[in-house]
Structure formats: structure tokens, C-alpha cells
Amino acid sequence: MMEKADLSELSFREVLAQHRSSSGEPQTKEIVRLALEKLKASGKEVRIYDSSKQLLGLAVDGIIINDGKPHIFEKNIEKALNGNYAYTVTDNHLLYFATPIQNQFYENAYVYEFVEDISYFYAIMDQIRYVLFAGAGGFIVLITLASLWIARSTTKPIKVLLGAAQSFSRQEFRRVHLNRKDELGMLADGLDSMGRQLHDYIQYQKQFVSNVSHELKTPLAAIRGFSQYLYEGENENKELQKIYSHLLQESDRLTRLINELLLLSRFDKTGSSELEVEKTEIHALIQQVTMNMEAKAKDKEIRITVHKTQGEPADEGEGLTKVYANVNPMLMSHAIANLMDNAIKYSSSHSQIVIEMEYTPNELAIRIRDEGIGIAGDELERVQERFYRAKNASTANGSGLGLSICKEIVERFNGYIDVESQLGQGTTVTIVLPRA
């Protein structure tokens, strides 16, 4: 617009140069008429004002109007007379642009103002705004999709690596491979190599324990037989008989240890799907194990109490709910008996062992609570590890394998073991199994 105003100013000054004379009114009107003739097509409206802000001439759509009374923006005219460009835009998208016109004395003698319809500019701006909004929306969608793709391509391999690490912590080793050549791919390759080495090492360790246990069974059986023979044949020397008795007891302890190691070796080699399971009524199983353990409990004058779970009447009319689980009865009996044996070993005489069973629609819990020596809080997390014995466990013989064997058995049937204890107040071991 300023360029157009400058061109119009040059045309106006040409008219002034051609009519330099006195400033009488006829001459001024002639200058205005000639200027309008020359500039009438330069805008929708063309106006010429004098230095007193009076309208001297008006042309609308290329036609000169003599008695027109248009709306005048006086601030535009005032700014132009001060030597500045001035413009105003109305609500109906009309631009009023005013520029000063100097005479031969460099005085702002006239103001030339033209009016332009700039609706097309607003239409273009609306289109540009629409394009920008549409582009911004598309860009946001594109960025969102790209972010989701980047997040997915980044978090998915991380989840794979995390799952592999969690599997390794459970000694479930599997191949880890990501079809990537970046740092995540290198990490996956390293994790895979570590997993294979750990798997080979653990398998070698387990095989070694199994082989040693098998090799020791035969000579240990011979040692026990000779110890039994010497113990029963010695009737005169009480000191020697005491030594033979101790030798016999240690032989029995080593035999139990080897049997437990062989049982663990069997678990290591046998998958859960290879174990024979059947729908077993847990009440009856607990009663059978309790009956078998009562003789050992009586030797220490310990009372075993079974709290029967009340519920819907059983099929036989016993007034008890029959609760079933899919387990191997022999192995589950061994687990419960092992826990009861621990409770007896680490309890003092004249104490009580309570066995309870609770159940929900989905799970059942067998809780064995004793009044024994208890376990320190900082050792509870480790008592289910193989060969680990609590610091105060020296009061009774043991190998540190009993609870770990129970854990292996229960986990084979999709259950778990929870241990709660306080020193000097007893221990509660809970077996949790899914109901059948």
C-alpha cells in the first residue's frame, strides 16, 4: 500500500508542477480536478483534502462525485498532514490509506486518500488459517502416531528384556533375541549369553549333586549296616556302644540328606506337566498326615490340634465342606509332613501345634502354627533357600533342605508358601493352593 501511495503521490506532484502559479481558488479546484482525473482509478474511492482537512474532491469506482459526503476519518487526515502514512481498516474490510502531498515549498498542502476493498485479503487469511489449522492438526496426529511408534518400538524390547530377566530369576532360561543392532540389541545378546551360561552352570551343578548322591547311597548303606551290627553286638563297653550309636545316628542323618538331594534332583529333571496329579480332598490328606506324625509329637509331649473348616455339608453328611486341589497326594503329603516335622523339632515339650485350613472360591490355605523358637525377621526371606538354616536352628538336626523341598513341591502345583515368625513366639507356615 505504501508503494501504491508513493506512486499516487508522484502523479499528484506532476499535476502540481504543471500548474505552479498563484494559490487562488479556481486554480486549486483545477488542480484537484486534474488530480482526480489522473488518480480516480487507483482505488475503490479516491479523496483529496486540503491542509484544513476539508474534502476537495471525491471519486467512487472511477467516477468523480461533486457533492459527495463520505465518512471521513479525521485522525487519518491529521496524521497525514503531520507527514506520516495513516490507515484505518473498517469492519466491512475497507482500507482507508492516507498520504501527504507537498507543494513546491515542501509543505503538506494536500492529503491524498484512497480506499481499497481488502476482503480478498481476509479470505486468503481465512484459507491460510484453515490450512494452518488443518496442517497443525495433521502434524499433531503425525507426531502422536510417530511418538506412539517410537514408544512402542522402544518399550516393547525393554519389556522383552525385563521379562527375560524375571524368567532368569526364576531359573527359567530361554533364548533372548531382538532383531536390532542398537544398544538394546547388544543388551539382548549379552543377556542371552548370560542366560545360556547360567543355565549350563546350574544344570551341571544339579547333575553333579545328583551323581554324588547316587554314588554315596551304596557306601552309606554299608556304613549304616555295619554301624547297626556293631551297636547291637556291643553289650559290655557302654562308651563304645555310645560311639556306635552316634555313628548310626549320623548315618541316618546322611541318608536323609541324600534322599532329600535325590528328591530335589527329581524335581529339577521333571517338569510340572510330567508329575501325576489328581483331584485330592485336602481335609482327608491333612488328617492322614497328622495321624502319621502323632507318634513323633507324643515323644516330645506336643499336642497336635486340627481345626476343621466348617461350611456346606459334605456328601457323607459329616458337616464339613470338602475342599479339593489338583495335586500329587504323595508329594503333597510329604510337604505337609515336612512342615509338621519342622514344627515338632523346633518346639519345646508340652507345647501345641495347630493346623488350620481356610478357603475362598478360588484358593485354599493350609496353616501350620507352632509355639517354637521362631525365626529372626531378617532371615525369613532366606529360609526357603536350599541348604540355608537359621542361626538358632542348631537346637535340632537338619540339612536346610526341608523347607526348600516343600517350596518346590507346592510351586509344582501352582501354589506358594508364606512364612511368618517371631523369635521365641513361634512360626506360622502357610501353604496356598488353587482350588480344583
Side-chain angles (χ1 to χ4, degrees), residues 22-277:
S22 64
S23 58
E25 185 177 348
Q27 188 64 32
T28 299
K29 288 185 177 181
E30 182 65 16
I31 291 173
V32 170
R33 185 186 67 79
L34 291 175
L36 282 178
E37 286 290 343
K38 196 167 188 178
L39 299 172
K40 63 183 179 180
S42 61
K44 180 179 178 63
E45 292 186 23
V46 175
R47 304 172 182 185
I48 298 176
Y49 302 89
D50 61 14
S51 58
S52 60
K53 297 187 285 187
Q54 295 295 320
L55 180 64
L56 300 179
L58 171 66
V60 179
D61 294 328
I63 300 174
I64 297 176
I65 307 297
N66 292 323
D67 297 324
K69 294 182 179 181
H71 179 70
I72 297 174
F73 296 93
E74 292 189 3
K75 288 186 178 181
N76 271 14
I77 310 305
E78 186 175 345
K79 287 181 181 180
L81 289 173
N82 290 329
N84 301 313
Y85 294 115
Y87 68 90
T88 299
V89 179
T90 62
D91 294 337
N92 55 351
H93 302 159
L94 293 177
L95 171 67
Y96 291 75
F97 197 99
T99 182
I101 306 297
Q102 295 179 341
N103 57 18
Q104 66 268 30
F105 304 107
Y106 300 103
E107 298 173 341
N108 295 324
Y110 301 96
V111 172
Y112 169 73
E113 183 180 50
F114 61 88
V115 180
E116 286 285 348
D117 186 354
I118 57 173
S119 299
Y120 69 93
F121 176 76
Y122 281 90
I124 293 174
M125 290 299 296
D126 288 340
Q127 292 179 359
I128 294 174
R129 190 180 296 111
Y130 172 77
V131 171
L132 288 176
F133 281 136
F139 182 73
I140 291 172
V141 172
L142 182 63
I143 289 295
T144 302
L145 294 176
S147 301
L148 291 174
W149 181 81
I150 293 173
R152 182 181 178 85
S153 62
T154 303
T155 57
K156 187 175 180 180
I158 292 176
K159 288 181 178 179
V160 171
L161 296 176
L162 180 60
Q166 291 173 343
S167 298
F168 289 0
S169 67
R170 298 190 299 268
Q171 296 188 12
E172 298 174 359
F173 299 102
R174 55 185 175 84
R175 294 300 306 272
V176 183
H177 177 69
L178 295 176
N179 191 20
R180 306 168 66 110
K181 295 184 178 180
D182 56 5
E183 289 79 2
L184 289 175
M186 295 169 62
L187 179 60
D189 293 339
L191 195 61
D192 181 69
S193 176
M194 182 186 71
R196 282 187 279 108
Q197 293 180 27
L198 283 174
H199 177 265
D200 294 342
Y201 173 76
I202 291 174
Q203 292 303 314
Y204 172 79
Q205 185 185 54
K206 291 176 179 178
Q207 187 63 42
F208 174 78
V209 172
S210 176
N211 293 339
V212 170
S213 300
H214 277 288
E215 293 297 326
L216 288 177
K217 280 194 78 174
T218 301
L220 188 57
I223 292 173
R224 190 192 184 285
F226 284 117
S227 300
Q228 183 76 26
Y229 172 76
L230 292 172
Y231 174 74
E232 293 177 354
E234 184 59 55
N235 298 319
E236 297 178 358
N237 191 334
K238 297 297 181 182
E239 191 66 29
L240 194 57
Q241 189 180 47
K242 187 177 179 180
I243 294 174
Y244 293 153
S245 175
H246 180 70
L247 185 60
L248 185 62
Q249 290 175 4
E250 289 301 309
S251 299
D252 289 338
R253 189 177 69 83
L254 285 175
T255 300
R256 287 195 301 270
L257 174 60
I258 289 175
N259 289 334
E260 289 175 344
L261 288 172
L262 289 174
L263 182 59
L264 282 174
S265 177
R266 176 188 172 190
F267 285 137
D268 292 335
K269 293 179 180 178
T270 306
S272 299
S273 59
E274 298 177 32
L275 292 175
E276 294 181 3
V277 298

